[in-house]
Amino acid sequence: MKVCKFGGSSVASAGQMLKVLEIVRSDPARRVVVVSAPGKREKGDDKVTDLLIACARDALAGRDSSADAARVVARYESIRAELDLPSDLVEALREELSARLSAPKDHPGAFEDAVKALGEEFSARFCAAAFAARGLPAVYVDPKDAGMRLSEEFGAAQLLPESYAALKSALAPIPDVVVFPGFYGYTASGRLATFSRGGSDITGAILAAALGADTYENFTDVDAVYPVDPRLCPEAVGGEGIREMTFAEMRELSYAGFAVFHDEAVMPAIRAKIPINIRNTNRPDEPGTMVLPRRKAVPGRVNGIAACPGFGALYVEKWLMNREVGFVAKLLSILADEGVSIECMPAGVDSVTVVFRDEAFPEEVRSRAFARIERELHPDHISYSRGIAFLVAVGEGMRTTVGTCLHVVTALSRAGINLQMINQGSSELSIMFGIREVDLQPAVQALYREFFVS
Ligand code: ASP
């Protein structure tokens, strides 16, 4: 049995919804369909969720929200007309939107969530109606009735664990295709709450885990995950996508900027060890990328290269540091007291470098931390440099192969790129290379050619 999630571009128009119908119809294992709100149809178009958020914020600020509300209704009306669905579907949306916009505003977060979830709700209602009208028995299921219970953290809700059993007993017996809206659920007090943006991925992963699906299919608008970010290396679009990767490889890649889906979003499926298949709604015959608990690693194979700018490095040097018990522990506890999260920590005999996301270590925090480090650790030298980017070469196959690092370094040196840092953990799943931000694009292109162009 498969749970399939269709993102905003897959339900952006009537034509896209019909593609979804054909995909679901073509495989009887596709029993549960999770949908996002309609996304952009073309560049410059609106996402329904953005329009709904604008409506909610206008209403909260006492401004007129009718123009954006009318655009939401018009968007659904054009889908309805093309799909030839009954007009009471759009009437129901119009009424519900106006009711939610005039609801009490004592809790702004809950108010905004109730409005912004309408995109998913009506996307699911429309798909269920369109499927049924075209001979595919399908039902819309309300997250409230199905037991999707979330915490009271509006806009960033978390699943309450008792939901798994409730969802299973509500959904498993349904004989028809279940069409379920992504992105939201209900709190114990009965208020609607949404996950963070992009949260329909989370809903899909939760349903896959609750139902013990064989696969969680995540349909989007790319054929596969590219081995490098195509924004940095446009030629990757014409090349091969990644066929298979492990959960651990995905985690390493998305850490440094791979953006097919948020790694935390698919946690429920990963915990339940359910394979995830990323596929393209517009090219459903493409096999896409499989993300698996385990795979047979190809020796030497770098599976993907992530690249991420925006890092800074704190450099602390002290003669005979290596003999001073607790030096690094004290340094880290100063940073922890400041609430700074660290990314990695390459060290030498008498020096240690602590790498941060630059935005996590702002000027004011930095000067307090510097003062304490000076006072409590008496370093010989301390400095902070910004403008660092990381390239992360990821591949399970590196573990059993000698020379992958050399391979990367050689390609980078041929491209004239200076390495500022190298970091490899003992998992040998990834190697991180710190370079100057300005070198990021040429570095990614050099590595793409080296590893992925035969
Ligand atoms: N529609 C929501 C958003 O735009 C959730 C989603 O698409 O996953 O964030």
Side-chain angles (χ1 to χ4, degrees), residues 5-9 11 34-39 47-50 52-53 116-117 119-120 182-184 194-203:
K5 181 259 169 179
F6 292 88
S9 60
V11 290
V34 174
V35 289
S36 287
K47 283 186 171 186
V48 164
T49 307
D50 291 335
L52 289 166
I53 292 172
K116 79 181 180 212
E120 270 69 14
F183 194 36
Y184 70 95
T194 68
F195 296 115
S196 50
R197 289 299 303 268
S200 299
D201 282 341
I202 310 181
T203 308

Side-chain angles (χ1 to χ4, degrees), residues 21-164:
L21 164 68
E22 289 317 320
I23 289 169
V24 177
R25 208 200 307 258
S26 69
D27 183 351
R30 295 182 172 132
R31 309 290 314 147
V32 175
V33 175
V34 174
V35 289
S36 287
K40 295 184 183 197
R41 288 159 294 188
E42 68 272 317
K43 241 182 160 187
D45 194 15
D46 296 308
K47 283 186 171 186
V48 164
T49 307
D50 291 335
L51 292 174
L52 289 166
I53 292 172
C55 288
R57 295 197 177 155
D58 281 342
L60 283 169
R63 293 188 298 261
D64 177 20
S65 57
S66 56
D68 281 331
R71 285 161 78 187
V72 171
V73 174
R75 185 78 185 266
Y76 282 96
E77 172 52 27
S78 81
I79 299 176
R80 185 210 66 76
E82 257 191 81
L83 293 176
D84 199 21
L85 295 173
S87 53
D88 51 4
L89 264 177
V90 176
E91 270 326 297
L93 165 68
R94 194 195 308 275
E95 276 165 28
E96 199 53 42
L97 179 54
S98 119
R100 292 193 194 183
L101 284 171
S102 40
K105 299 174 181 58
D106 49 321
H107 193 309
F111 176 87
E112 185 172 311
D113 278 9
V115 175
K116 79 181 180 212
L118 278 172
E120 270 69 14
E121 176 180 335
F122 279 83
S123 194
R125 288 188 185 279
F126 273 54
C127 284
F131 292 5
R134 283 159 182 80
L136 179 70
V139 280
Y140 165 78
V141 174
D142 187 326
K144 191 177 214 164
D145 303 336
M148 179 68 90
R149 289 274 169 277
L150 306 188
S151 66
E152 296 262 342
E153 293 150 287
F154 296 100
Q158 303 284 327
L159 184 76
L160 302 182
E162 64 266 26
S163 302
Y164 285 114

Side-chain angles (χ1 to χ4, degrees), residues 162-279:
E162 64 266 26
S163 302
Y164 285 114
L167 288 163
K168 182 171 183 189
S169 55
L171 303 181
I174 299 179
D176 298 342
V177 169
V178 167
V179 187
F180 200 99
F183 194 36
Y184 70 95
Y186 287 82
T187 68
S189 64
R191 289 181 123 159
L192 187 154
T194 68
F195 296 115
S196 50
R197 289 299 303 268
S200 299
D201 282 341
I202 310 181
T203 308
I206 291 168
L207 297 191
L211 294 164
D214 299 311
T215 312
Y216 170 32
E217 289 183 320
N218 196 298
F219 282 88
T220 164
D221 54 5
V222 291
D223 284 348
V225 178
Y226 298 114
V228 298
D229 184 341
R231 285 167 305 182
L232 292 168
C233 181
E235 69 178 285
V237 177
E240 282 252 328
I242 301 178
R243 280 262 173 279
E244 282 186 354
M245 64 172 134
T246 60
F247 292 151
E249 287 176 316
M250 181 193 73
R251 169 83 187 106
E252 296 273 348
L253 288 168
S254 51
Y255 165 81
F258 259 54
V260 167
F261 47 50
H262 203 289
D263 50 344
E264 281 169 30
V266 289
M267 246 353 259
I270 290 178
R271 283 221 183 88
K273 299 201 166 36
I274 294 170
I276 304 166
N277 190 191
I278 300 161
R279 308 185 64 151

